[in-house]
Amino acid sequence: MPNNFKTGDVVKLKSGGPRMTVSDGAASGMYLCHWFNREGEVWTPQHAGFKPEQLIAADQSD
């Protein structure tokens, strides 16, 4: 059963990776997530859409 996330939830990919914040759930069923990548002292904002089956709540994966 797919997870139902809401705006502001902190999630991770089931396969690992950074903690991400859900910013929107589209009608297509994809979740738009935002996170930051760090390279040296520079933090770069990133975003991408993910299917609910790809995500878990961050506290479930720690």
Side-chain angles (χ1 to χ4, degrees), residues 2-56:
N3 291 312
N4 292 316
F5 299 109
K6 62 185 182 305
T7 299
D9 284 351
V10 179
V11 299
K12 288 181 80 168
L13 287 172
K14 287 182 178 178
S15 60
R19 294 165 58 98
M20 304 179 288
T21 303
V22 175
S23 64
D24 192 21
S28 66
M30 301 280 284
Y31 289 101
L32 180 61
C33 298
H34 292 267
W35 69 96
F36 290 89
N37 282 343
R38 182 178 181 187
E39 189 171 320
E41 296 298 317
V42 178
W43 290 86
T44 306
Q46 303 288 316
H47 67 274
F50 299 98
K51 295 178 181 179
E53 295 84 8
Q54 295 175 287
L55 301 171
I56 55 173

